[in-house]
Amino acid sequence: MIAVQSAAQVPDPLSVPSNAPEHCPASLYHLGTESEFAGKSSACEGCANQEICASNTPKGPDPALPLIKQRMSSVKRKILVLSGKGGVGKSTFTAQLGWAFAADESIQTGIMDVDICGPSIPTILGIASEQVHSSSTGWSPVYVQDNLGVMSVGFMLPSSRDAVMWRGPKKNGLISQFLKDVDWGELDYLVVDTPPGTSDEHLSIVQYLKESGIDGAVLITTPQEVALQDVHREIDFCRKVGIRILGIVENMSGFVCPSCKTESQIFKPSTGGAKRLAEETGIELLGAVPLDPRIGKSADYGVSFLDEYPDSPATTAYLDIIDRIKQILCDD
């Protein structure tokens, strides 16, 4: 018998108390009321939950953690794609990474978009008009192809123009549901697209996958110093929370003319670019992807740049980087 699926509603469990103060210490770092400052900080004054948070009653572990561990037990590799600054091509790289993994029909790949306020993955993958469906086994990912499934808050919004105005606890709740309630099935790779920076979404994913394990993170940057400064902070974040850094990718590294295929610099690496950053930090430079205007065109139309323009130097760079990631993970 085939299970009948129905469109999923925007999850109501995300509606944590709306009266929690903006800088609630219970939600900071997602420690909940385990935080030593819970109910005792100046930010707690006037909060209806202050007495409960400040009580000495022992708190149990997050009940979602064992459910997440069970669901993630069928996922072989979990890779985070991070960037310190927005606009450096992180989501585009995530999409190309997913497409490249899924090019092998024997490899099952998932992409989880936790860029909650700016979910661009559905558009880049050409599935922006799709909806999430649910069955007895949980939410079903939206499939780009048979072996490439995607989950994003973008599927749950009434319109692509609707703003997501959530504080940390609501974001935390959605990420928890993406991990424990989505029927990912048996996956070889789960690629997690994160927002820029080192904030709520990053802390949530690290906390929730602590027991399941994160295989590594890929850091995306562009050549100019203003982007590299933020990558330094991303590196510091990874080291503090114990995430293995697989390497750095320099996006928009030169410009490829679609006509003559020659390459010239657009964003000058005034301080040595990602190459020097990699040398200074002891992190591997996975590769440099030149700026090809057709990458943006492919993202707008929701098609695979790797398939559409196999002769582009950018495609060669993408594939070399992806092959190197596989080698590092001993999957090649």
Side-chain angles (χ1 to χ4, degrees):
M1 176 180 288
I2 299 174
V4 178
Q5 296 185 332
S6 58
Q9 301 295 320
V10 177
D12 184 65
L14 302 179
S15 55
V16 297
S18 59
N19 58 347
E22 183 176 0
H23 301 291
C24 173
S27 62
L28 188 63
Y29 302 116
H30 302 303
L31 295 175
T33 53
E34 294 291 333
S35 169
E36 61 179 301
F37 303 109
K40 303 170 185 176
S41 167
S42 59
C44 302
E45 294 178 7
C47 177
N49 305 308
Q50 183 177 11
E51 184 177 348
I52 298 173
C53 292
S55 69
N56 294 321
T57 305
K59 287 87 179 177
D62 189 332
L65 293 179
L67 299 176
I68 291 172
K69 184 178 180 180
Q70 181 181 9
R71 184 73 82 173
M72 290 292 106
S73 64
S74 61
V75 179
K76 182 179 178 183
R77 299 289 191 194
K78 294 170 281 294
I79 301 171
L80 306 186
V81 181
L82 308 173
S83 73
K85 186 169 291 296
V88 297
K90 171 185 51 57
S91 295
T92 300
F93 179 83
T94 299
Q96 304 310 320
L97 183 60
W99 260 314
F101 284 150
D104 183 340
E105 294 182 359
S106 66
I107 293 179
Q108 298 297 319
T109 306
I111 295 178
M112 188 169 76
D113 181 8
V114 299
D115 191 347
I116 293 170
C117 293
S120 55
I121 285 292
T123 298
I124 295 173
L125 293 173
I127 49 176
S129 61
E130 299 295 328
Q131 288 185 324
V132 175
H133 291 78
S134 61
S135 67
S136 58
T137 56
W139 295 351
S140 297
V142 173
Y143 283 89
V144 181
Q145 55 194 55
D146 289 343
N147 63 335
L148 178 56
V150 182
M151 181 55 67
S152 170
V153 71
F155 301 131
M156 302 176 179
L157 301 177
S159 166
S160 61
R161 298 181 180 181
D162 285 2
V164 180
M165 298 180 290
W166 291 349
R167 294 181 179 179
K170 280 194 176 185
K171 295 177 181 180
N172 188 29
L174 181 61
I175 293 170
S176 170
Q177 290 194 287
F178 278 0
L179 291 169
K180 70 181 176 66
D181 294 338
V182 174
D183 183 15
W184 291 104
E186 298 283 338
L187 288 183
D188 294 289
Y189 295 98
L190 178 63
V191 184
V192 182
D193 185 44
T194 65
T198 54
S199 191
D200 294 293
E201 294 88 338
H202 309 80
L203 294 165
S204 292
I205 202 74
V206 169
Q207 178 200 13
Y208 286 137
L209 291 179
K210 184 176 182 179
E211 293 186 20
S212 304
I214 297 171
D215 292 278
V218 179
L219 309 185
I220 311 297
T221 187
T222 46
Q224 67 272 41
E225 177 62 19
V226 70
L228 296 172
Q229 288 178 358
D230 287 336
V231 177
H232 275 289
R233 300 182 183 97
E234 204 77 39
I235 292 170
D236 184 52
F237 168 80
C238 289
R239 288 175 172 169
K240 283 180 176 177
V241 299
I243 297 177
R244 176 190 182 190
I245 300 174
L246 301 177
I248 301 171
V249 173
E250 184 176 84
N251 251 345
M252 308 181 198
S253 181
F255 168 72
V256 177
C257 176
S259 299
C260 65
K261 302 295 189 296
T262 56
E263 193 175 322
S264 58
Q265 286 190 351
I266 300 295
F267 302 110
K268 186 176 181 179
S270 57
T271 58
K275 181 179 180 181
R276 183 174 176 182
L277 173 64
E279 292 171 351
E280 291 176 348
T281 58
I283 298 171
E284 180 174 345
L285 177 63
L286 296 172
V289 181
L291 181 62
D292 187 327
R294 297 172 298 183
I295 296 175
K297 178 182 177 182
S298 299
D300 286 346
Y301 285 96
V303 296
S304 169
F305 174 78
L306 305 180
D307 293 339
E308 294 292 313
Y309 305 102
D311 297 329
S312 169
T315 294
T316 302
Y318 272 130
L319 294 177
D320 288 345
I321 291 167
I322 292 163
D323 286 343
R324 180 58 187 147
I325 291 173
K326 288 182 176 180
Q327 290 173 3
I328 294 172
L329 294 173
C330 300
D331 291 337
D332 194 8

